[in-house]
Amino acid sequence: MTSRQFLIRDLLVLFGLTGWAVALPGFASEFVVSMALTCLMYVALSSSWALFCGTTRYLSLATSAFFGIGAYTSAIGLESLSWPVAIALGATIAAGIAVLMGAAVLHLRGTYFAVLTFGMTELIRHAISYFEKSVTGTVGRVLMVVPERDTVYFTVLLLAVLAVALSIGIRRTRFGLAMQGIGADEQRAQTLGVNTRLVKTAGFALTAAIAGAVGAAMSVRWTYIDPHTVFNPFIGFQTVLIALIGGAMTLWGPLIAAIVFSVLAETLRLQVPQVYMMSLGLLLILSVLYLPGGLASVRAETFKGWWRDSKAWWRETRDDLSGETERRKQREKQQREARHVY
């Protein structure tokens, strides 16, 4: 298939999934709509995270910071601003914070970058907690103006579609190729004329803007928010896990994994939270060991390879238990000794 054919295919898939999601609130129960809203939230967060971090291979743990900034912006501004303006303001402030954060930490890579983004997330959370205790005399905010359920649902749906559409489009632009070049070899990309600092900052700000907009939209899901809720590190960690397990380098991997994780979250987390956390860890281990390309890389050949490997493992185990492996080694040793004598 040509690049144009892949583009048409991706757009048709996105259009079909969007149509199904638009029709969902009309016939589904409140529980299903709530689960779909969570799913759409993580589709937007993980797709935008993979757009920057998957291509550049910069492991950011700051998603919860941008999500919380957007949530607090919406909670404060909804009393005087319209719903679209509050969402846009949350995205803008999150992007601005990302530019400042990127200027400080984007020259680092690997573990150092991940640890520093997580540390700055905690710094923002504690700074907001200290500000509220010192200035307002309380921690948290009660949301007095809350839009209807369908307004929140379709807003998050729009943000999820926007995140996937941006992934489809940007991956085919010079900007997307520049981010891929940074991920492959940053020094070589720099020698070829890529302004790596500008590209990294713009990509980081883009993923932060989407996370901030999602946080602004999702804040009204709770009637009361506080820093512990909206700056919860688990939001950032789960976003990273979804992207990695789905396939951070792929387009549809984060979307597939977001659906799987949403179903697991709603069915296991409330009833048996320990099993849910064990499932996350198990999925991550299996993905790293047997599916490094993520769920999106699963093909028919993948299952055939697993089947061949399992049969080979079973033959080796059977030979070890029956002593055939040891007998074979003895025969090979005797043959070598016989050749040496003659």
Side-chain angles (χ1 to χ4, degrees), residues 300-320:
E301 287 298 324
T302 306
F303 292 103
K304 292 179 181 178
W306 289 347
W307 177 247
R308 288 193 297 267
D309 293 342
S310 62
K311 289 196 297 185
W313 172 81
W314 171 246
R315 284 196 298 269
E316 292 177 1
T317 303
R318 184 185 58 191
D319 291 345
D320 289 340

Side-chain angles (χ1 to χ4, degrees), residues 79-275:
E79 295 181 1
S80 57
L81 300 175
S82 64
W83 175 247
V85 174
I87 301 297
L89 186 61
T92 304
I93 295 177
I97 297 295
V99 171
L100 297 177
M101 187 184 297
V105 301
L106 276 173
H107 63 283
L108 301 172
R109 291 201 69 135
T111 307
Y112 300 102
F113 178 76
V115 170
L116 274 178
T117 53
F118 178 72
M120 296 187 83
T121 300
E122 290 298 295
L123 175 64
I124 293 172
R125 180 168 71 91
H126 288 292
I128 291 179
S129 298
Y130 176 78
F131 175 81
E132 289 202 319
K133 289 179 181 178
S134 303
V135 178
T136 64
T138 183
V139 177
R141 293 181 180 273
V142 178
L143 279 71
M144 305 301 295
V145 180
V146 179
E148 296 181 356
R149 182 204 70 176
D150 288 350
T151 301
V152 178
Y153 177 84
F154 286 117
T155 301
V156 178
L157 172 60
L158 177 63
L159 293 172
V161 172
L162 177 63
V164 177
L166 284 174
S167 297
I168 294 174
I170 289 178
R171 290 171 189 268
R172 293 170 168 81
T173 63
R174 294 182 63 182
F175 178 61
L177 293 175
M179 288 198 294
Q180 292 178 22
I182 291 171
D185 191 332
E186 186 170 348
Q187 290 184 344
R188 181 174 295 180
Q190 196 167 9
T191 58
L192 291 174
V194 176
N195 190 339
T196 56
R197 192 172 188 84
L198 178 61
V199 170
K200 290 187 295 185
T201 303
F204 196 48
L206 179 61
T207 186
I210 295 176
V214 172
M218 292 296 293
S219 65
V220 298
R221 195 179 187 187
W222 304 285
T223 56
Y224 171 82
I225 66 169
D226 60 4
H228 179 74
T229 302
V230 295
F231 288 95
N232 190 350
F234 184 75
I235 296 175
F237 291 145
Q238 183 155 304
T239 299
V240 175
L241 286 175
I242 288 173
L244 293 179
I245 292 174
M249 295 291 292
T250 65
L251 174 63
W252 300 107
L255 186 146
I256 296 170
I259 296 173
V260 174
F261 272 73
S262 298
V263 173
L264 284 176
E266 296 296 336
T267 55
L268 295 179
R269 187 169 61 184
L270 298 179
Q271 300 177 359
V272 277
Q274 293 81 9
V275 175

